[in-house]
Amino acid sequence: MKNIVIMIGAPGSGKGTQAKLAAQRHQFLHISSGDLLRSLAIKKKLNASEKKAVNLMRQGKLVPDRIIFGLVFERIIFGLKNNNGVVLDGAVRNLEQAKGFRQFFEDNSFENQVLVLEIHISDEESFDRLTKRRVCVKCGEIIPWLPATKNFKVCAKCGGDLKARQDDGAMVIKERIKKQGNAAIKKILEYYKKIGKIEKINGEQDIGKVQQDIDRVLRNYVD
Ligand code: AMP
């Protein structure tokens, strides 16, 4: 059984939404490195490396691998003990991270449990979605720019006000796509193709259809 699902996708691919849905359906722990970093950002006291991580995140740049490993490895161990498995959302964004996670999985004899899911969208679609999406100022929920959600005036979950995400300015978005878009993803996918199981999903369909495709794939590996 594969119960460590690594979701890979360009910014705005919907991997966050889909990772949450898949985690709920299978009682897996949803682990988003972006969420872990955003919760650091609202902490009162930060050490020097945490401050650096938060600043880099705000500029749309990748945070150093060792900080990501420090945050995510611990959650994986916790998730595998307390849930049926884990879904990693945005935690693997470059080749070095893919290798670092691989090493961690090998050290803990988890490597046969790993399934990689690519949610594919083009860089153009990524830019379009990111410039328009919003976040709830109260609970942090991300509101994607989709027919079903684009007219929301307040957060559907808690009624909080919505605003553009702090790390979502046009320049920052261009930088993120350059560093985290399809060029970067290609290298990661080539690495995973050589060592393990990888499945590709078309992320440019509507949310329900993407969800169905992910379900179909996961049913083969998880249930
Ligand atoms: P996300 O919410 O997943 O889009 O992440 C928001 C920001 O957090 C990214 O643009 C990066 O600056 C940072 N970040 C999240 N995950 C990682 C990661 N695995 N490696 C480096 N930086 C990350």
mmCIF file of all heavy atoms in Angstrom, residues 33-34 37-38 56-57 60-63 68 90-93 97 133 165 167 176 180, ligand 1:
data_model
loop_
_atom_site.group_PDB
_atom_site.id
_atom_site.type_symbol
_atom_site.label_atom_id
_atom_site.label_comp_id
_atom_site.label_asym_id
_atom_site.label_seq_id
_atom_site.Cartn_x
_atom_site.Cartn_y
_atom_site.Cartn_z
ATOM 1 N N SER A 33 3.794 22.372 3.295
ATOM 2 C CA SER A 33 4.975 23.117 3.767
ATOM 3 C C SER A 33 4.675 24.618 3.766
ATOM 4 O O SER A 33 5.142 25.355 4.635
ATOM 5 C CB SER A 33 6.196 22.808 2.895
ATOM 6 O OG SER A 33 5.852 22.868 1.540
ATOM 7 N N GLY A 34 3.850 25.090 2.812
ATOM 8 C CA GLY A 34 3.456 26.507 2.781
ATOM 9 C C GLY A 34 2.683 26.878 4.046
ATOM 10 O O GLY A 34 2.941 27.907 4.667
ATOM 11 N N LEU A 37 4.968 27.089 6.968
ATOM 12 C CA LEU A 37 5.728 28.351 6.944
ATOM 13 C C LEU A 37 4.848 29.542 7.318
ATOM 14 O O LEU A 37 5.285 30.435 8.037
ATOM 15 C CB LEU A 37 6.346 28.574 5.559
ATOM 16 C CG LEU A 37 7.524 27.659 5.237
ATOM 17 C CD1 LEU A 37 7.829 27.680 3.750
ATOM 18 C CD2 LEU A 37 8.762 28.068 6.035
ATOM 19 N N ARG A 38 3.605 29.545 6.830
ATOM 20 C CA ARG A 38 2.707 30.662 7.177
ATOM 21 C C ARG A 38 2.398 30.653 8.669
ATOM 22 O O ARG A 38 2.240 31.707 9.275
ATOM 23 C CB ARG A 38 1.422 30.622 6.339
ATOM 24 C CG ARG A 38 1.603 31.239 4.946
ATOM 25 C CD ARG A 38 0.314 31.300 4.168
ATOM 26 N NE ARG A 38 -0.105 29.974 3.724
ATOM 27 C CZ ARG A 38 0.393 29.346 2.655
ATOM 28 N NH1 ARG A 38 1.310 29.929 1.904
ATOM 29 N NH2 ARG A 38 -0.020 28.146 2.312
ATOM 30 N N LEU A 56 12.002 35.033 2.970
ATOM 31 C CA LEU A 56 12.134 34.417 1.640
ATOM 32 C C LEU A 56 10.766 34.038 1.098
ATOM 33 O O LEU A 56 10.463 34.259 -0.082
ATOM 34 C CB LEU A 56 13.030 33.178 1.719
ATOM 35 C CG LEU A 56 14.512 33.462 1.877
ATOM 36 C CD1 LEU A 56 15.275 32.194 2.247
ATOM 37 C CD2 LEU A 56 15.095 34.059 0.596
ATOM 38 N N MET A 57 9.930 33.496 1.965
ATOM 39 C CA MET A 57 8.581 33.116 1.528
ATOM 40 C C MET A 57 7.839 34.342 1.002
ATOM 41 O O MET A 57 7.187 34.291 -0.033
ATOM 42 C CB MET A 57 7.820 32.485 2.686
ATOM 43 C CG MET A 57 6.401 32.156 2.326
ATOM 44 S SD MET A 57 5.443 31.550 3.704
ATOM 45 C CE MET A 57 5.186 33.027 4.635
ATOM 46 N N GLY A 60 8.577 35.230 -2.428
ATOM 47 C CA GLY A 60 8.271 34.199 -3.430
ATOM 48 C C GLY A 60 9.454 33.310 -3.735
ATOM 49 O O GLY A 60 9.460 32.585 -4.727
ATOM 50 N N LYS A 61 10.473 33.366 -2.855
ATOM 51 C CA LYS A 61 11.666 32.546 -3.111
ATOM 52 C C LYS A 61 11.602 31.254 -2.311
ATOM 53 O O LYS A 61 10.893 31.183 -1.302
ATOM 54 C CB LYS A 61 12.912 33.330 -2.701
ATOM 55 C CG LYS A 61 13.143 34.498 -3.616
ATOM 56 C CD LYS A 61 14.425 35.207 -3.292
ATOM 57 C CE LYS A 61 14.637 36.328 -4.293
ATOM 58 N NZ LYS A 61 15.442 37.409 -3.757
ATOM 59 N N LEU A 62 12.367 30.275 -2.749
ATOM 60 C CA LEU A 62 12.367 29.020 -2.019
ATOM 61 C C LEU A 62 13.105 29.183 -0.696
ATOM 62 O O LEU A 62 14.143 29.839 -0.618
ATOM 63 C CB LEU A 62 13.012 27.913 -2.842
ATOM 64 C CG LEU A 62 12.179 27.376 -4.004
ATOM 65 C CD1 LEU A 62 12.903 26.231 -4.695
ATOM 66 C CD2 LEU A 62 10.810 26.910 -3.532
ATOM 67 N N VAL A 63 12.548 28.578 0.327
ATOM 68 C CA VAL A 63 13.122 28.578 1.668
ATOM 69 C C VAL A 63 14.186 27.473 1.703
ATOM 70 O O VAL A 63 14.019 26.445 1.038
ATOM 71 C CB VAL A 63 11.957 28.308 2.660
ATOM 72 C CG1 VAL A 63 12.433 27.978 4.036
ATOM 73 C CG2 VAL A 63 10.990 29.485 2.648
ATOM 74 N N ILE A 68 12.831 23.333 5.531
ATOM 75 C CA ILE A 68 11.683 22.519 5.084
ATOM 76 C C ILE A 68 11.773 21.112 5.687
ATOM 77 O O ILE A 68 10.804 20.598 6.241
ATOM 78 C CB ILE A 68 11.665 22.416 3.535
ATOM 79 C CG1 ILE A 68 11.506 23.811 2.908
ATOM 80 C CG2 ILE A 68 10.579 21.470 3.041
ATOM 81 C CD1 ILE A 68 10.220 24.530 3.256
ATOM 82 N N GLY A 90 3.237 20.413 -1.719
ATOM 83 C CA GLY A 90 4.221 21.468 -1.963
ATOM 84 C C GLY A 90 5.540 21.288 -1.223
ATOM 85 O O GLY A 90 6.366 22.187 -1.213
ATOM 86 N N ALA A 91 5.731 20.123 -0.623
ATOM 87 C CA ALA A 91 6.924 19.935 0.202
ATOM 88 C C ALA A 91 8.166 19.602 -0.627
ATOM 89 O O ALA A 91 9.289 19.795 -0.180
ATOM 90 C CB ALA A 91 6.679 18.847 1.239
ATOM 91 N N VAL A 92 7.954 19.104 -1.854
ATOM 92 C CA VAL A 92 9.104 18.772 -2.716
ATOM 93 C C VAL A 92 9.079 19.716 -3.910
ATOM 94 O O VAL A 92 8.226 19.609 -4.783
ATOM 95 C CB VAL A 92 9.015 17.310 -3.205
ATOM 96 C CG1 VAL A 92 10.210 16.976 -4.084
ATOM 97 C CG2 VAL A 92 8.930 16.349 -2.033
ATOM 98 N N ARG A 93 10.012 20.682 -3.933
ATOM 99 C CA ARG A 93 9.971 21.712 -4.980
ATOM 100 C C ARG A 93 11.242 21.802 -5.799
ATOM 101 O O ARG A 93 11.325 22.630 -6.704
ATOM 102 C CB ARG A 93 9.737 23.077 -4.362
ATOM 103 C CG ARG A 93 8.481 23.083 -3.564
ATOM 104 C CD ARG A 93 7.818 24.397 -3.620
ATOM 105 N NE ARG A 93 6.708 24.345 -2.712
ATOM 106 C CZ ARG A 93 5.754 25.238 -2.664
ATOM 107 N NH1 ARG A 93 5.772 26.258 -3.453
ATOM 108 N NH2 ARG A 93 4.775 25.120 -1.809
ATOM 109 N N GLN A 97 15.549 18.690 -2.759
ATOM 110 C CA GLN A 97 14.528 18.285 -1.779
ATOM 111 C C GLN A 97 14.044 16.865 -2.084
ATOM 112 O O GLN A 97 13.863 16.055 -1.178
ATOM 113 C CB GLN A 97 13.352 19.255 -1.779
ATOM 114 C CG GLN A 97 13.721 20.599 -1.164
ATOM 115 C CD GLN A 97 12.564 21.583 -1.135
ATOM 116 O OE1 GLN A 97 11.461 21.282 -1.547
ATOM 117 N NE2 GLN A 97 12.836 22.779 -0.656
ATOM 118 N N ARG A 133 -6.156 34.784 -7.088
ATOM 119 C CA ARG A 133 -6.674 34.094 -5.902
ATOM 120 C C ARG A 133 -6.518 34.938 -4.636
ATOM 121 O O ARG A 133 -5.695 35.845 -4.565
ATOM 122 C CB ARG A 133 -6.028 32.726 -5.726
ATOM 123 C CG ARG A 133 -4.634 32.751 -5.184
ATOM 124 C CD ARG A 133 -4.151 31.334 -5.035
ATOM 125 N NE ARG A 133 -2.761 31.303 -4.646
ATOM 126 C CZ ARG A 133 -2.066 30.186 -4.524
ATOM 127 N NH1 ARG A 133 -2.615 29.026 -4.793
ATOM 128 N NH2 ARG A 133 -0.820 30.235 -4.146
ATOM 129 N N ARG A 165 -3.324 37.386 -1.526
ATOM 130 C CA ARG A 165 -2.335 36.797 -0.626
ATOM 131 C C ARG A 165 -1.099 37.660 -0.574
ATOM 132 O O ARG A 165 -0.683 38.212 -1.580
ATOM 133 C CB ARG A 165 -1.952 35.404 -1.130
ATOM 134 C CG ARG A 165 -2.461 34.324 -0.237
ATOM 135 C CD ARG A 165 -2.233 32.983 -0.837
ATOM 136 N NE ARG A 165 -0.819 32.626 -0.863
ATOM 137 C CZ ARG A 165 -0.392 31.410 -1.154
ATOM 138 N NH1 ARG A 165 -1.247 30.468 -1.453
ATOM 139 N NH2 ARG A 165 0.892 31.137 -1.167
ATOM 140 N N ASP A 167 1.937 37.005 -0.424
ATOM 141 C CA ASP A 167 3.036 36.601 -1.311
ATOM 142 C C ASP A 167 2.569 36.479 -2.764
ATOM 143 O O ASP A 167 3.166 35.809 -3.568
ATOM 144 C CB ASP A 167 3.688 35.287 -0.816
ATOM 145 C CG ASP A 167 2.684 34.165 -0.616
ATOM 146 O OD1 ASP A 167 1.479 34.435 -0.683
ATOM 147 O OD2 ASP A 167 3.108 33.030 -0.394
ATOM 148 N N ARG A 176 8.071 33.158 -8.606
ATOM 149 C CA ARG A 176 7.659 31.821 -8.148
ATOM 150 C C ARG A 176 7.516 30.867 -9.322
ATOM 151 O O ARG A 176 7.905 29.704 -9.236
ATOM 152 C CB ARG A 176 6.326 31.891 -7.396
ATOM 153 C CG ARG A 176 6.471 32.457 -6.017
ATOM 154 C CD ARG A 176 5.132 32.608 -5.346
ATOM 155 N NE ARG A 176 4.575 31.351 -4.918
ATOM 156 C CZ ARG A 176 3.292 31.199 -4.584
ATOM 157 N NH1 ARG A 176 2.466 32.215 -4.665
ATOM 158 N NH2 ARG A 176 2.861 30.038 -4.178
ATOM 159 N N GLN A 180 9.506 27.706 -9.449
ATOM 160 C CA GLN A 180 8.694 26.578 -8.978
ATOM 161 C C GLN A 180 7.712 26.072 -10.034
ATOM 162 O O GLN A 180 6.846 25.264 -9.747
ATOM 163 C CB GLN A 180 7.895 27.000 -7.736
ATOM 164 C CG GLN A 180 8.773 27.524 -6.608
ATOM 165 C CD GLN A 180 7.953 28.096 -5.459
ATOM 166 O OE1 GLN A 180 6.943 27.535 -5.085
ATOM 167 N NE2 GLN A 180 8.382 29.209 -4.897
HETATM 168 P P1 AMP B 1 2.590 27.421 -1.009
HETATM 169 O O1 AMP B 1 1.534 27.824 -0.056
HETATM 170 O O2 AMP B 1 2.767 25.935 -1.058
HETATM 171 O O3 AMP B 1 2.402 28.011 -2.366
HETATM 172 O O4 AMP B 1 3.980 28.008 -0.452
HETATM 173 C C1 AMP B 1 4.162 29.379 -0.214
HETATM 174 C C2 AMP B 1 5.639 29.730 -0.210
HETATM 175 O O5 AMP B 1 6.321 29.023 0.863
HETATM 176 C C3 AMP B 1 6.407 29.327 -1.459
HETATM 177 O O6 AMP B 1 6.280 30.277 -2.491
HETATM 178 C C4 AMP B 1 7.824 29.241 -0.921
HETATM 179 O O7 AMP B 1 8.346 30.558 -0.728
HETATM 180 C C5 AMP B 1 7.635 28.646 0.453
HETATM 181 N N1 AMP B 1 7.716 27.169 0.398
HETATM 182 C C6 AMP B 1 6.689 26.299 0.598
HETATM 183 N N2 AMP B 1 7.116 25.030 0.470
HETATM 184 C C7 AMP B 1 8.434 25.092 0.174
HETATM 185 C C8 AMP B 1 9.439 24.122 -0.097
HETATM 186 N N3 AMP B 1 9.186 22.807 -0.130
HETATM 187 N N4 AMP B 1 10.690 24.556 -0.337
HETATM 188 C C9 AMP B 1 10.997 25.855 -0.319
HETATM 189 N N5 AMP B 1 10.106 26.827 -0.091
HETATM 190 C C10 AMP B 1 8.825 26.472 0.154
#
